Amino acid sequence: EDQVTQSPEALRLQEGESSSLNCSYTVSGLRGLFWYRQDPGKGPEFLFTLYSAGEEKEKERLKATLTKKESFLHITAPKPEDSATYLCAVRAFYGGSQGNLIFGKGTKLSVKP
Amino acid sequence: KAGVTQTPRYLIKTRGQQVTLSCSPISGHRSVSWYQQTPGQGLQFLFEYFSETQRNKGNFPGRFSGRQFSNSRSEMNVSTLELGDSALYLCASSLVPSGSSYEQYFGPGTRLTVT
């Protein structure tokens, strides 16, 4: 069964304290791994797409990396405005059929000033 | 370019009633997917529409249905509401159908409360 697991469930950081969020997945043929940010009461905001192992993408203080079994979202010198829930999702290839997004439960990040 | 819009933003219904939610995708996007988000289950895929045809459906009962119009706008309907249907319902649009590698962009969601 295709599955996405995110850890930790919650993470509290001090402003400037760098850390990483983990997303491990088991899918029958990866067709993209997606990171989203979600603020309370809002829809998920797209951050990155990664397609193949070894790929990396950066945006401001965020850097996403991908291996064959997991992805990491590295947050460098976070600020309070980075506080949000970060969601990981994968799209699997089902032998020619359509592949919907499979989401993890998310990591709730809190950054204290 | 305007983002995905969903109406209404908040809704309170009684058990047994039915509800219709609306979604307008980003201009030019032809694929619309619907998700249910709850604290316990997280984001779960409901269904996807492209060119007015349902292309994919998640593991939800037949009380959940949807449709897409020729202008790509989509509606989802839930009949005979149950307390467990209380959730944030999210619509996401994409340039092309899922199954490709194109990302989906989400709307703000409709918060449905069933009492």
Side-chain angles (χ1 to χ4, degrees), chain B residues 4 10 13-14 16-17 21 33 36-37 40 43 47 49 57-58 63 65 69 80 90 92-93 95 97 104 112-113:
Chain B
V4 178
Y10 303 92
K13 289 286 187 178
T14 305
Q17 289 185 314
L21 312 182
S33 297
Q36 181 195 66
Q37 186 175 32
L43 267 153
F47 28 66
Y49 287 87
K57 190 177 192 302
R63 300 185 297 107
S65 63
F69 303 95
T80 319
L90 292 159
S93 79
L95 202 58
Q104 294 183 343
L112 172 65
T113 302

Side-chain angles (χ1 to χ4, degrees), chain B residues 7 11 13 16-23 34 36 46-47 49 54 57 60-69 74-82 85 89 112:
Chain B
T7 57
L11 207 49
K13 289 286 187 178
Q17 289 185 314
Q18 74 166 22
V19 67
T20 298
L21 312 182
S22 181
C23 171
W34 288 89
Q36 181 195 66
L46 280 159
F47 28 66
Y49 287 87
Q54 186 180 91
K57 190 177 192 302
F60 278 82
R63 300 185 297 107
F64 292 82
S65 63
R67 60 178 175 168
Q68 186 180 35
F69 303 95
S74 177
E75 290 181 347
M76 68 163 282
N77 183 276
V78 187
S79 61
T80 319
L81 284 166
E82 300 178 358
D85 296 334
Y89 289 88
L112 172 65

Side-chain angles (χ1 to χ4, degrees), chain B residues 72-114:
Chain B
S72 295
R73 190 177 69 85
S74 177
E75 290 181 347
M76 68 163 282
N77 183 276
V78 187
S79 61
T80 319
L81 284 166
E82 300 178 358
L83 294 178
D85 296 334
S86 295
L88 181 67
Y89 289 88
L90 292 159
C91 166
S93 79
S94 177
L95 202 58
V96 294
S98 66
S100 67
S101 299
Y102 283 89
E103 52 268 10
Q104 294 183 343
Y105 294 90
F106 284 81
T110 294
R111 171 70 65 185
L112 172 65
T113 302
V114 182

Side-chain angles (χ1 to χ4, degrees), chain A residues 6-99:
Chain A
Q6 291 188 247
S7 61
E9 289 185 14
L11 183 61
R12 290 190 173 193
L13 299 174
Q14 287 297 125
E15 184 172 3
E17 179 187 4
S18 302
S19 187
S20 295
L21 314 183
N22 176 263
C23 171
S24 62
Y25 61 91
T26 53
V27 292
S28 50
L30 181 68
R31 209 171 206 183
L33 184 141
F34 304 82
W35 282 98
Y36 287 86
R37 168 194 170 129
Q38 186 173 26
D39 293 297
K42 297 187 177 181
E45 174 191 345
F46 171 75
L47 293 173
F48 304 109
T49 308
L50 301 166
Y51 297 108
S52 56
E55 189 175 359
E56 299 182 350
K57 288 197 176 171
E58 286 188 70
K59 179 181 179 180
E60 296 180 357
R61 294 177 294 282
L62 301 177
K63 179 180 176 180
T65 61
L66 181 65
T67 71
K68 287 187 177 180
K69 293 294 182 186
E70 58 191 349
S71 176
F72 292 94
L73 185 65
H74 307 278
I75 304 176
T76 302
K79 297 182 178 182
E81 53 262 41
D82 294 323
S83 297
T85 295
Y86 290 84
L87 296 166
C88 170
V90 298
R91 176 172 290 141
F93 179 70
Y94 293 110
S97 178
Q98 305 84 14

